[in-house]
Amino acid sequence: MRPTQVYGHSNVLDAARERIAFVFDQFEDIHVSISGGKDSTVLAHLALMEAQRRGRRISIFFLDEEVVYQETINMVEYIMEQLAPDNVIPLWLQMEFNLTNATSLTETQFVPWEPGKHTVWLRPKKSYSIKFPMWDRATQIVADKNKGFGFYDVFVNFERCYHNTAFLVGLRGTESPNRWRTVSRHPATIGGQPVYWATPKADNFSLYPLYDWNFHDIWKYIAENGLRYHRIYDYQFKKGYPLQEMRVSSLIHEKSFKALVDLPEFEPATYNKLLKRAKGIALAQETGKKAKLFKAQRLPKNFTSWRAYRDFLIATHPDQAKCAIMAQRFARHLDNEYVARQQCRQLILNDYENNLPVDNQPDPRDNWIAYYREVL
Amino acid sequence: MIYLGYSTAEKQQIVADYCAVHAIKQTVVIAPDRFPLSVAGADQVRYADVIMYVTFYRLLQAIERDTLIVLHECLRTQNRYDLAYNCIRNYLNRTAHCLVFQTLPQIDERDDFMVLFDWVTQSRWKREHFSADLIRAEARVHVREWPLALTRLDVPTSDATRLKYDAERARLFDGLGAKDPHTLPRNLYLLGGRDKAAYIAARKPAGGQLALFAAAPPARYVARNQRLNLDCVTTYDDVEPGGAPYTAIELPHRFIDWCDFVSYTGQAATEVLVADLKADQWYFERAVKWQERIHETYTSLRP
């Protein structure tokens, strides 16, 4: 059997504790980013236990996208208010920014905590949350002018407010090659020693103490320490979700809108509020996993090819400005059915940012067709 | 423990012995509709129902440490992340007592066997591919090898059929569009049907011979559907065990349908009508290779 990892003398838990102790030795300011998911819960617990041991306070940072499970909010409250309240500086950001809404072609950008819509917000703002940007709006960084001030811009500008600060993130390398690359691409030097589980970020550092943990290590830690965890995982497990799909995040962006399909079953009250809050929710709930619409796996019957369907979508797209960005990108792609199907998916999800990149390859069906031409 | 190729009576005896030795208080039998296994006092659960909430939560509560779960012919998926697979896995997490009965070790590839292996090892090796060493080290597998055999009966086709085949082939390739390319062999395979029907009619014993062979059961044929309209032909869904062996007019496209046919009828050796059309040749050769893969798996599993 081929080993997938090389095992050392220490276990991942002891190693993570040593890493966190190292961070406490090296940094005065420590921030732990949390999402309410299992990984960040474990990371926050490990960091807070170390803070408690040393009698120090650390910041727990949560960027509230509004359109999240109620259970996510319960988890954030649990981490900020119950795990080790005396050692926590809560940094709960509830401010407006642009979030991709993959469920609607007429409301392509969702603005969490949008002023004037407070009557339909999913819930009131938290009393101790940060409600306004901590930085100068006039000089803030905006990566994509088409999108405007977006999700990742909040992080970038937030981190610019700090110097020589450690940002701990619960990223695990085994989740995907992309995540592994994020952890290992630019090793940092901290206190004169190379740290391969950290990356420098301007004046600060991002550190990934759980980078070598596996899925089962996380659950073992949660069980052994009696930690509370996101209940949605239980529901997903019982419904037979594959491990890689058992995740909790925002409910409407292009990588997570499928969560809407089971939302009425998992959290009916959240679904009910979301119907009033954002456009396209009911359609995505009904068709989020259907082959003919959002997944773009089966061609609608009035089209004979994906290329024809793509051209139709481009011609009738309600947001022609965003559509032009995509059409320009498609012009550089191969012209075959395999690529055209993925282009249709981008158009349906309005993924002008290219977050679900097109695999620009020759059509794999071609091999089968060539094979059948030969043998039949 | 995994038992491959055992008879119904043997399976029932194995279950009874296991219950006696391990002081089992409750038995749950999970089986598809077509493959029931009668066990006295057992809770019978349809395979199709294992994913239903009404079954899922009831079983999670009912299964205790002294419950035996019998999985009978439950290899219905090649996907180790399938919903039914996951639900069964959850039931098995509640007890260490599990017996798996299956006729053939795989649907198509030998990795399929790892679904059965996962069930008896509580999925500790879920990410591993088929490995005889791993299986031997971690599970007890009892193998009764089925002597699978396919014999071809060549059926000559008429010029008209061959012309029709060429025309249909050209039409299907030209009009494929966005359709699944696997529809090509499926459709072309049906074209030899008329010639096969003529072959069957010619094969019937003449009137004078009937009396001589009165004791022999009439020949039976199996096809994908009833389009030939012959009394002696039945579909794969309607086959019955016992009686004369079936001769296959066409092989099913999905191997799981062929596994079901073999398991349900108990017919390991089958004659197959093979027309002199390329689609027929392709299907037959594919089935022979499948048979060879099964033999390789048997060889690997032998102690």
Side-chain angles (χ1 to χ4, degrees), chain A residues 1 237-240 265 365 368-369 371-376, chain B residues 53 57 83 86 90 128 165 169 176-177 179 181-182 278 282:
Chain A
M1 249 170 292
F237 181 70
K238 285 173 182 169
K239 284 212 87 170
E265 198 174 354
R365 284 184 347 134
W368 276 111
I369 294 168
Y371 169 71
Y372 283 137
R373 269 192 201 284
E374 195 182 322
V375 298
L376 296 177
Chain B
Y53 282 4
Y57 292 116
L83 180 57
N86 270 329
N90 283 324
E128 298 301 332
Y165 181 91
R169 183 181 178 281
L176 186 63
K179 283 186 212 145
H182 301 297
K278 284 178 101 177
W282 181 77

PDB file of all heavy atoms in Angstrom, chain A residues 1 237-240 265 365 368-369 371-376, chain B residues 53 57 83 86 90 128 165 169 176-177 179 181-182 278 282:
ATOM      1  N   MET A   1       0.834  -1.210   0.000  1.00  0.00           N
ATOM      2  CA  MET A   1       0.000   0.000   0.000  1.00  0.00           C
ATOM      3  C   MET A   1       0.869   1.260   0.000  1.00  0.00           C
ATOM      4  O   MET A   1       1.876   1.301   0.680  1.00  0.00           O
ATOM      5  CB  MET A   1      -0.838   0.014   1.271  1.00  0.00           C
ATOM      6  CG  MET A   1      -2.295  -0.186   1.022  1.00  0.00           C
ATOM      7  SD  MET A   1      -3.090  -0.433   2.584  1.00  0.00           S
ATOM      8  CE  MET A   1      -2.449  -2.016   3.071  1.00  0.00           C
ATOM      9  N   PHE A 237     -24.748  13.856   7.758  1.00  0.00           N
ATOM     10  CA  PHE A 237     -24.252  12.485   7.916  1.00  0.00           C
ATOM     11  C   PHE A 237     -25.399  11.493   7.728  1.00  0.00           C
ATOM     12  O   PHE A 237     -25.281  10.502   7.022  1.00  0.00           O
ATOM     13  CB  PHE A 237     -23.629  12.338   9.301  1.00  0.00           C
ATOM     14  CG  PHE A 237     -23.062  10.979   9.575  1.00  0.00           C
ATOM     15  CD1 PHE A 237     -21.920  10.550   8.929  1.00  0.00           C
ATOM     16  CD2 PHE A 237     -23.666  10.124  10.479  1.00  0.00           C
ATOM     17  CE1 PHE A 237     -21.378   9.300   9.176  1.00  0.00           C
ATOM     18  CE2 PHE A 237     -23.140   8.876  10.732  1.00  0.00           C
ATOM     19  CZ  PHE A 237     -22.000   8.462  10.078  1.00  0.00           C
ATOM     20  N   LYS A 238     -26.540  11.814   8.366  1.00  0.00           N
ATOM     21  CA  LYS A 238     -27.675  10.893   8.277  1.00  0.00           C
ATOM     22  C   LYS A 238     -28.236  10.830   6.864  1.00  0.00           C
ATOM     23  O   LYS A 238     -28.832   9.834   6.475  1.00  0.00           O
ATOM     24  CB  LYS A 238     -28.769  11.319   9.260  1.00  0.00           C
ATOM     25  CG  LYS A 238     -28.420  10.968  10.693  1.00  0.00           C
ATOM     26  CD  LYS A 238     -29.417  11.531  11.651  1.00  0.00           C
ATOM     27  CE  LYS A 238     -29.001  11.204  13.086  1.00  0.00           C
ATOM     28  NZ  LYS A 238     -29.776  11.942  14.059  1.00  0.00           N
ATOM     29  N   LYS A 239     -28.068  11.901   6.119  1.00  0.00           N
ATOM     30  CA  LYS A 239     -28.556  11.886   4.734  1.00  0.00           C
ATOM     31  C   LYS A 239     -27.537  11.272   3.788  1.00  0.00           C
ATOM     32  O   LYS A 239     -27.745  11.248   2.584  1.00  0.00           O
ATOM     33  CB  LYS A 239     -28.889  13.303   4.273  1.00  0.00           C
ATOM     34  CG  LYS A 239     -30.183  13.821   4.844  1.00  0.00           C
ATOM     35  CD  LYS A 239     -30.895  14.769   3.921  1.00  0.00           C
ATOM     36  CE  LYS A 239     -31.782  14.049   2.958  1.00  0.00           C
ATOM     37  NZ  LYS A 239     -32.665  14.932   2.199  1.00  0.00           N
ATOM     38  N   GLY A 240     -26.405  10.814   4.323  1.00  0.00           N
ATOM     39  CA  GLY A 240     -25.427  10.124   3.486  1.00  0.00           C
ATOM     40  C   GLY A 240     -24.562  11.058   2.666  1.00  0.00           C
ATOM     41  O   GLY A 240     -24.039  10.660   1.635  1.00  0.00           O
ATOM     42  N   GLU A 265     -35.464  21.237   5.305  1.00  0.00           N
ATOM     43  CA  GLU A 265     -35.527  20.063   6.174  1.00  0.00           C
ATOM     44  C   GLU A 265     -34.667  20.267   7.425  1.00  0.00           C
ATOM     45  O   GLU A 265     -35.052  19.901   8.529  1.00  0.00           O
ATOM     46  CB  GLU A 265     -35.009  18.865   5.374  1.00  0.00           C
ATOM     47  CG  GLU A 265     -35.374  17.541   5.928  1.00  0.00           C
ATOM     48  CD  GLU A 265     -34.943  16.424   4.991  1.00  0.00           C
ATOM     49  OE1 GLU A 265     -34.472  16.700   3.862  1.00  0.00           O
ATOM     50  OE2 GLU A 265     -35.052  15.274   5.399  1.00  0.00           O
ATOM     51  N   ARG A 365     -15.892  12.607 -24.247  1.00  0.00           N
ATOM     52  CA  ARG A 365     -16.808  11.744 -24.998  1.00  0.00           C
ATOM     53  C   ARG A 365     -16.198  11.361 -26.342  1.00  0.00           C
ATOM     54  O   ARG A 365     -16.550  10.329 -26.915  1.00  0.00           O
ATOM     55  CB  ARG A 365     -18.134  12.477 -25.256  1.00  0.00           C
ATOM     56  CG  ARG A 365     -19.040  12.556 -24.045  1.00  0.00           C
ATOM     57  CD  ARG A 365     -20.377  13.213 -24.387  1.00  0.00           C
ATOM     58  NE  ARG A 365     -20.380  13.861 -25.670  1.00  0.00           N
ATOM     59  CZ  ARG A 365     -21.336  13.747 -26.584  1.00  0.00           C
ATOM     60  NH1 ARG A 365     -22.369  13.003 -26.343  1.00  0.00           N
ATOM     61  NH2 ARG A 365     -21.277  14.385 -27.725  1.00  0.00           N
ATOM     62  N   TRP A 368     -14.756   7.964 -26.367  1.00  0.00           N
ATOM     63  CA  TRP A 368     -15.764   6.899 -26.434  1.00  0.00           C
ATOM     64  C   TRP A 368     -16.331   6.798 -27.841  1.00  0.00           C
ATOM     65  O   TRP A 368     -16.511   5.695 -28.377  1.00  0.00           O
ATOM     66  CB  TRP A 368     -16.898   7.172 -25.435  1.00  0.00           C
ATOM     67  CG  TRP A 368     -16.584   6.691 -24.060  1.00  0.00           C
ATOM     68  CD1 TRP A 368     -16.338   7.444 -22.954  1.00  0.00           C
ATOM     69  CD2 TRP A 368     -16.464   5.325 -23.633  1.00  0.00           C
ATOM     70  NE1 TRP A 368     -16.077   6.647 -21.868  1.00  0.00           N
ATOM     71  CE2 TRP A 368     -16.155   5.341 -22.253  1.00  0.00           C
ATOM     72  CE3 TRP A 368     -16.586   4.091 -24.284  1.00  0.00           C
ATOM     73  CZ2 TRP A 368     -15.962   4.177 -21.514  1.00  0.00           C
ATOM     74  CZ3 TRP A 368     -16.398   2.924 -23.536  1.00  0.00           C
ATOM     75  CH2 TRP A 368     -16.083   2.979 -22.169  1.00  0.00           C
ATOM     76  N   ILE A 369     -16.617   7.957 -28.419  1.00  0.00           N
ATOM     77  CA  ILE A 369     -17.221   7.938 -29.760  1.00  0.00           C
ATOM     78  C   ILE A 369     -16.240   7.313 -30.758  1.00  0.00           C
ATOM     79  O   ILE A 369     -16.619   6.467 -31.575  1.00  0.00           O
ATOM     80  CB  ILE A 369     -17.639   9.367 -30.181  1.00  0.00           C
ATOM     81  CG1 ILE A 369     -18.768   9.857 -29.268  1.00  0.00           C
ATOM     82  CG2 ILE A 369     -18.097   9.400 -31.635  1.00  0.00           C
ATOM     83  CD1 ILE A 369     -19.087  11.330 -29.370  1.00  0.00           C
ATOM     84  N   TYR A 371     -13.910   5.211 -30.050  1.00  0.00           N
ATOM     85  CA  TYR A 371     -13.830   3.787 -29.723  1.00  0.00           C
ATOM     86  C   TYR A 371     -15.010   3.031 -30.330  1.00  0.00           C
ATOM     87  O   TYR A 371     -14.837   1.978 -30.964  1.00  0.00           O
ATOM     88  CB  TYR A 371     -13.800   3.632 -28.197  1.00  0.00           C
ATOM     89  CG  TYR A 371     -13.978   2.218 -27.718  1.00  0.00           C
ATOM     90  CD1 TYR A 371     -12.981   1.263 -27.900  1.00  0.00           C
ATOM     91  CD2 TYR A 371     -15.155   1.820 -27.081  1.00  0.00           C
ATOM     92  CE1 TYR A 371     -13.152  -0.045 -27.470  1.00  0.00           C
ATOM     93  CE2 TYR A 371     -15.338   0.523 -26.645  1.00  0.00           C
ATOM     94  CZ  TYR A 371     -14.342  -0.416 -26.837  1.00  0.00           C
ATOM     95  OH  TYR A 371     -14.508  -1.710 -26.419  1.00  0.00           O
ATOM     96  N   TYR A 372     -16.206   3.582 -30.158  1.00  0.00           N
ATOM     97  CA  TYR A 372     -17.394   2.903 -30.700  1.00  0.00           C
ATOM     98  C   TYR A 372     -17.388   2.898 -32.231  1.00  0.00           C
ATOM     99  O   TYR A 372     -17.880   1.956 -32.847  1.00  0.00           O
ATOM    100  CB  TYR A 372     -18.671   3.550 -30.165  1.00  0.00           C
ATOM    101  CG  TYR A 372     -18.985   3.153 -28.728  1.00  0.00           C
ATOM    102  CD1 TYR A 372     -19.417   4.094 -27.793  1.00  0.00           C
ATOM    103  CD2 TYR A 372     -18.847   1.836 -28.302  1.00  0.00           C
ATOM    104  CE1 TYR A 372     -19.699   3.734 -26.482  1.00  0.00           C
ATOM    105  CE2 TYR A 372     -19.119   1.462 -26.991  1.00  0.00           C
ATOM    106  CZ  TYR A 372     -19.552   2.417 -26.084  1.00  0.00           C
ATOM    107  OH  TYR A 372     -19.824   2.044 -24.796  1.00  0.00           O
ATOM    108  N   ARG A 373     -16.837   3.928 -32.835  1.00  0.00           N
ATOM    109  CA  ARG A 373     -16.723   3.931 -34.303  1.00  0.00           C
ATOM    110  C   ARG A 373     -15.870   2.742 -34.757  1.00  0.00           C
ATOM    111  O   ARG A 373     -16.114   2.129 -35.789  1.00  0.00           O
ATOM    112  CB  ARG A 373     -16.062   5.227 -34.779  1.00  0.00           C
ATOM    113  CG  ARG A 373     -17.040   6.327 -35.072  1.00  0.00           C
ATOM    114  CD  ARG A 373     -16.389   7.483 -35.812  1.00  0.00           C
ATOM    115  NE  ARG A 373     -17.181   8.686 -35.658  1.00  0.00           N
ATOM    116  CZ  ARG A 373     -18.312   8.926 -36.298  1.00  0.00           C
ATOM    117  NH1 ARG A 373     -18.772   8.045 -37.156  1.00  0.00           N
ATOM    118  NH2 ARG A 373     -18.997  10.041 -36.090  1.00  0.00           N
ATOM    119  N   GLU A 374     -14.882   2.445 -33.956  1.00  0.00           N
ATOM    120  CA  GLU A 374     -13.964   1.367 -34.319  1.00  0.00           C
ATOM    121  C   GLU A 374     -14.578  -0.014 -34.089  1.00  0.00           C
ATOM    122  O   GLU A 374     -14.437  -0.909 -34.917  1.00  0.00           O
ATOM    123  CB  GLU A 374     -12.693   1.521 -33.473  1.00  0.00           C
ATOM    124  CG  GLU A 374     -11.520   0.729 -33.955  1.00  0.00           C
ATOM    125  CD  GLU A 374     -10.334   0.924 -33.016  1.00  0.00           C
ATOM    126  OE1 GLU A 374     -10.143   2.060 -32.532  1.00  0.00           O
ATOM    127  OE2 GLU A 374      -9.654  -0.059 -32.760  1.00  0.00           O
ATOM    128  N   VAL A 375     -15.269  -0.183 -32.949  1.00  0.00           N
ATOM    129  CA  VAL A 375     -15.702  -1.540 -32.579  1.00  0.00           C
ATOM    130  C   VAL A 375     -17.116  -1.880 -33.039  1.00  0.00           C
ATOM    131  O   VAL A 375     -17.485  -3.060 -33.061  1.00  0.00           O
ATOM    132  CB  VAL A 375     -15.602  -1.779 -31.058  1.00  0.00           C
ATOM    133  CG1 VAL A 375     -14.173  -1.657 -30.599  1.00  0.00           C
ATOM    134  CG2 VAL A 375     -16.525  -0.851 -30.275  1.00  0.00           C
ATOM    135  N   LEU A 376     -17.924  -0.879 -33.374  1.00  0.00           N
ATOM    136  CA  LEU A 376     -19.324  -1.187 -33.719  1.00  0.00           C
ATOM    137  C   LEU A 376     -19.545  -1.210 -35.228  1.00  0.00           C
ATOM    138  O   LEU A 376     -18.943  -0.453 -35.948  1.00  0.00           O
ATOM    139  CB  LEU A 376     -20.261  -0.165 -33.062  1.00  0.00           C
ATOM    140  CG  LEU A 376     -20.270  -0.186 -31.537  1.00  0.00           C
ATOM    141  CD1 LEU A 376     -21.176   0.899 -31.000  1.00  0.00           C
ATOM    142  CD2 LEU A 376     -20.721  -1.538 -30.990  1.00  0.00           C
TER     143      LEU A 376
ATOM    144  N   TYR B  53     -36.030   7.473   6.102  1.00  0.00           N
ATOM    145  CA  TYR B  53     -35.944   7.900   7.505  1.00  0.00           C
ATOM    146  C   TYR B  53     -36.704   6.957   8.427  1.00  0.00           C
ATOM    147  O   TYR B  53     -36.258   6.640   9.517  1.00  0.00           O
ATOM    148  CB  TYR B  53     -36.513   9.310   7.666  1.00  0.00           C
ATOM    149  CG  TYR B  53     -35.578  10.398   7.231  1.00  0.00           C
ATOM    150  CD1 TYR B  53     -34.355  10.089   6.666  1.00  0.00           C
ATOM    151  CD2 TYR B  53     -35.905  11.728   7.398  1.00  0.00           C
ATOM    152  CE1 TYR B  53     -33.493  11.072   6.266  1.00  0.00           C
ATOM    153  CE2 TYR B  53     -35.040  12.730   7.003  1.00  0.00           C
ATOM    154  CZ  TYR B  53     -33.838  12.399   6.436  1.00  0.00           C
ATOM    155  OH  TYR B  53     -32.990  13.377   6.048  1.00  0.00           O
ATOM    156  N   TYR B  57     -34.046   5.651  11.319  1.00  0.00           N
ATOM    157  CA  TYR B  57     -34.074   5.971  12.751  1.00  0.00           C
ATOM    158  C   TYR B  57     -34.581   4.785  13.575  1.00  0.00           C
ATOM    159  O   TYR B  57     -34.122   4.557  14.689  1.00  0.00           O
ATOM    160  CB  TYR B  57     -34.916   7.218  13.004  1.00  0.00           C
ATOM    161  CG  TYR B  57     -34.258   8.450  12.425  1.00  0.00           C
ATOM    162  CD1 TYR B  57     -34.841   9.172  11.409  1.00  0.00           C
ATOM    163  CD2 TYR B  57     -33.017   8.859  12.886  1.00  0.00           C
ATOM    164  CE1 TYR B  57     -34.218  10.276  10.865  1.00  0.00           C
ATOM    165  CE2 TYR B  57     -32.383   9.955  12.343  1.00  0.00           C
ATOM    166  CZ  TYR B  57     -32.989  10.668  11.340  1.00  0.00           C
ATOM    167  OH  TYR B  57     -32.363  11.747  10.799  1.00  0.00           O
ATOM    168  N   LEU B  83     -25.564   6.642  -0.900  1.00  0.00           N
ATOM    169  CA  LEU B  83     -26.415   6.868   0.266  1.00  0.00           C
ATOM    170  C   LEU B  83     -26.801   5.558   0.962  1.00  0.00           C
ATOM    171  O   LEU B  83     -26.709   5.439   2.182  1.00  0.00           O
ATOM    172  CB  LEU B  83     -27.676   7.631  -0.164  1.00  0.00           C
ATOM    173  CG  LEU B  83     -28.673   7.960   0.937  1.00  0.00           C
ATOM    174  CD1 LEU B  83     -28.029   8.756   2.058  1.00  0.00           C
ATOM    175  CD2 LEU B  83     -29.843   8.759   0.368  1.00  0.00           C
ATOM    176  N   ASN B  86     -23.916   4.205   2.825  1.00  0.00           N
ATOM    177  CA  ASN B  86     -23.659   4.954   4.056  1.00  0.00           C
ATOM    178  C   ASN B  86     -24.649   4.601   5.151  1.00  0.00           C
ATOM    179  O   ASN B  86     -24.285   4.514   6.323  1.00  0.00           O
ATOM    180  CB  ASN B  86     -23.722   6.459   3.779  1.00  0.00           C
ATOM    181  CG  ASN B  86     -22.370   7.007   3.390  1.00  0.00           C
ATOM    182  OD1 ASN B  86     -21.349   6.502   3.845  1.00  0.00           O
ATOM    183  ND2 ASN B  86     -22.353   8.004   2.541  1.00  0.00           N
ATOM    184  N   ASN B  90     -23.892   2.974   8.843  1.00  0.00           N
ATOM    185  CA  ASN B  90     -24.346   3.493  10.138  1.00  0.00           C
ATOM    186  C   ASN B  90     -24.957   2.402  10.998  1.00  0.00           C
ATOM    187  O   ASN B  90     -24.738   2.357  12.203  1.00  0.00           O
ATOM    188  CB  ASN B  90     -25.368   4.614   9.932  1.00  0.00           C
ATOM    189  CG  ASN B  90     -24.693   5.901   9.542  1.00  0.00           C
ATOM    190  OD1 ASN B  90     -23.618   6.204  10.019  1.00  0.00           O
ATOM    191  ND2 ASN B  90     -25.302   6.647   8.638  1.00  0.00           N
ATOM    192  N   GLU B 128      -8.987   2.446   0.612  1.00  0.00           N
ATOM    193  CA  GLU B 128      -8.086   1.499  -0.048  1.00  0.00           C
ATOM    194  C   GLU B 128      -8.755   0.805  -1.234  1.00  0.00           C
ATOM    195  O   GLU B 128      -9.940   0.490  -1.193  1.00  0.00           O
ATOM    196  CB  GLU B 128      -7.622   0.431   0.946  1.00  0.00           C
ATOM    197  CG  GLU B 128      -6.843   0.987   2.118  1.00  0.00           C
ATOM    198  CD  GLU B 128      -5.594   1.735   1.693  1.00  0.00           C
ATOM    199  OE1 GLU B 128      -5.029   1.416   0.629  1.00  0.00           O
ATOM    200  OE2 GLU B 128      -5.195   2.665   2.424  1.00  0.00           O
ATOM    201  N   TYR B 165     -28.196  -2.504 -40.478  1.00  0.00           N
ATOM    202  CA  TYR B 165     -27.216  -2.207 -39.422  1.00  0.00           C
ATOM    203  C   TYR B 165     -26.335  -1.031 -39.852  1.00  0.00           C
ATOM    204  O   TYR B 165     -26.113  -0.084 -39.084  1.00  0.00           O
ATOM    205  CB  TYR B 165     -26.363  -3.446 -39.157  1.00  0.00           C
ATOM    206  CG  TYR B 165     -25.330  -3.266 -38.054  1.00  0.00           C
ATOM    207  CD1 TYR B 165     -25.639  -3.576 -36.736  1.00  0.00           C
ATOM    208  CD2 TYR B 165     -24.053  -2.779 -38.332  1.00  0.00           C
ATOM    209  CE1 TYR B 165     -24.701  -3.413 -35.718  1.00  0.00           C
ATOM    210  CE2 TYR B 165     -23.115  -2.610 -37.333  1.00  0.00           C
ATOM    211  CZ  TYR B 165     -23.438  -2.936 -36.033  1.00  0.00           C
ATOM    212  OH  TYR B 165     -22.517  -2.755 -35.037  1.00  0.00           O
ATOM    213  N   ARG B 169     -26.341   2.494 -38.003  1.00  0.00           N
ATOM    214  CA  ARG B 169     -25.075   2.910 -37.398  1.00  0.00           C
ATOM    215  C   ARG B 169     -24.743   4.339 -37.830  1.00  0.00           C
ATOM    216  O   ARG B 169     -24.411   5.200 -37.003  1.00  0.00           O
ATOM    217  CB  ARG B 169     -23.967   1.950 -37.841  1.00  0.00           C
ATOM    218  CG  ARG B 169     -22.619   2.227 -37.234  1.00  0.00           C
ATOM    219  CD  ARG B 169     -21.585   1.234 -37.765  1.00  0.00           C
ATOM    220  NE  ARG B 169     -20.271   1.521 -37.230  1.00  0.00           N
ATOM    221  CZ  ARG B 169     -19.477   2.471 -37.667  1.00  0.00           C
ATOM    222  NH1 ARG B 169     -19.859   3.263 -38.660  1.00  0.00           N
ATOM    223  NH2 ARG B 169     -18.291   2.674 -37.110  1.00  0.00           N
ATOM    224  N   LEU B 176     -25.954  11.864 -32.912  1.00  0.00           N
ATOM    225  CA  LEU B 176     -25.649  11.664 -31.487  1.00  0.00           C
ATOM    226  C   LEU B 176     -25.817  12.952 -30.683  1.00  0.00           C
ATOM    227  O   LEU B 176     -26.353  12.936 -29.577  1.00  0.00           O
ATOM    228  CB  LEU B 176     -24.217  11.127 -31.337  1.00  0.00           C
ATOM    229  CG  LEU B 176     -23.824  10.748 -29.911  1.00  0.00           C
ATOM    230  CD1 LEU B 176     -24.690   9.602 -29.400  1.00  0.00           C
ATOM    231  CD2 LEU B 176     -22.356  10.359 -29.835  1.00  0.00           C
ATOM    232  N   GLY B 177     -25.386  14.072 -31.221  1.00  0.00           N
ATOM    233  CA  GLY B 177     -25.529  15.352 -30.519  1.00  0.00           C
ATOM    234  C   GLY B 177     -24.910  15.291 -29.136  1.00  0.00           C
ATOM    235  O   GLY B 177     -23.781  14.834 -28.974  1.00  0.00           O
ATOM    236  N   LYS B 179     -26.028  13.451 -26.750  1.00  0.00           N
ATOM    237  CA  LYS B 179     -26.467  12.215 -26.082  1.00  0.00           C
ATOM    238  C   LYS B 179     -25.281  11.395 -25.577  1.00  0.00           C
ATOM    239  O   LYS B 179     -24.158  11.545 -26.053  1.00  0.00           O
ATOM    240  CB  LYS B 179     -27.277  11.360 -27.059  1.00  0.00           C
ATOM    241  CG  LYS B 179     -28.685  11.855 -27.275  1.00  0.00           C
ATOM    242  CD  LYS B 179     -29.438  10.852 -28.137  1.00  0.00           C
ATOM    243  CE  LYS B 179     -30.459  11.580 -28.999  1.00  0.00           C
ATOM    244  NZ  LYS B 179     -30.628  10.991 -30.289  1.00  0.00           N
ATOM    245  N   PRO B 181     -22.775   8.604 -25.418  1.00  0.00           N
ATOM    246  CA  PRO B 181     -22.289   7.701 -26.476  1.00  0.00           C
ATOM    247  C   PRO B 181     -22.587   6.231 -26.201  1.00  0.00           C
ATOM    248  O   PRO B 181     -22.584   5.415 -27.125  1.00  0.00           O
ATOM    249  CB  PRO B 181     -20.781   7.965 -26.521  1.00  0.00           C
ATOM    250  CG  PRO B 181     -20.449   8.793 -25.346  1.00  0.00           C
ATOM    251  CD  PRO B 181     -21.705   9.392 -24.808  1.00  0.00           C
ATOM    252  N   HIS B 182     -22.861   5.889 -24.949  1.00  0.00           N
ATOM    253  CA  HIS B 182     -23.137   4.483 -24.635  1.00  0.00           C
ATOM    254  C   HIS B 182     -24.502   4.021 -25.161  1.00  0.00           C
ATOM    255  O   HIS B 182     -24.810   2.833 -25.112  1.00  0.00           O
ATOM    256  CB  HIS B 182     -23.050   4.248 -23.130  1.00  0.00           C
ATOM    257  CG  HIS B 182     -21.692   4.596 -22.581  1.00  0.00           C
ATOM    258  ND1 HIS B 182     -20.551   3.954 -22.959  1.00  0.00           N
ATOM    259  CD2 HIS B 182     -21.302   5.568 -21.727  1.00  0.00           C
ATOM    260  CE1 HIS B 182     -19.509   4.495 -22.346  1.00  0.00           C
ATOM    261  NE2 HIS B 182     -19.935   5.480 -21.603  1.00  0.00           N
ATOM    262  N   LYS B 278     -21.215  -6.386 -35.677  1.00  0.00           N
ATOM    263  CA  LYS B 278     -20.108  -5.976 -34.800  1.00  0.00           C
ATOM    264  C   LYS B 278     -20.579  -5.702 -33.373  1.00  0.00           C
ATOM    265  O   LYS B 278     -19.854  -5.963 -32.416  1.00  0.00           O
ATOM    266  CB  LYS B 278     -19.413  -4.750 -35.397  1.00  0.00           C
ATOM    267  CG  LYS B 278     -18.530  -5.104 -36.570  1.00  0.00           C
ATOM    268  CD  LYS B 278     -17.896  -3.881 -37.163  1.00  0.00           C
ATOM    269  CE  LYS B 278     -16.459  -3.726 -36.715  1.00  0.00           C
ATOM    270  NZ  LYS B 278     -15.792  -2.581 -37.330  1.00  0.00           N
ATOM    271  N   TRP B 282     -19.042  -7.371 -30.009  1.00  0.00           N
ATOM    272  CA  TRP B 282     -18.501  -6.521 -28.947  1.00  0.00           C
ATOM    273  C   TRP B 282     -19.105  -6.891 -27.590  1.00  0.00           C
ATOM    274  O   TRP B 282     -18.394  -7.048 -26.602  1.00  0.00           O
ATOM    275  CB  TRP B 282     -18.783  -5.048 -29.268  1.00  0.00           C
ATOM    276  CG  TRP B 282     -18.228  -4.118 -28.242  1.00  0.00           C
ATOM    277  CD1 TRP B 282     -16.938  -3.744 -28.084  1.00  0.00           C
ATOM    278  CD2 TRP B 282     -18.957  -3.468 -27.196  1.00  0.00           C
ATOM    279  NE1 TRP B 282     -16.811  -2.891 -27.008  1.00  0.00           N
ATOM    280  CE2 TRP B 282     -18.041  -2.706 -26.456  1.00  0.00           C
ATOM    281  CE3 TRP B 282     -20.305  -3.449 -26.816  1.00  0.00           C
ATOM    282  CZ2 TRP B 282     -18.415  -1.930 -25.355  1.00  0.00           C
ATOM    283  CZ3 TRP B 282     -20.681  -2.680 -25.728  1.00  0.00           C
ATOM    284  CH2 TRP B 282     -19.745  -1.933 -25.016  1.00  0.00           C
TER     285      TRP B 282
END
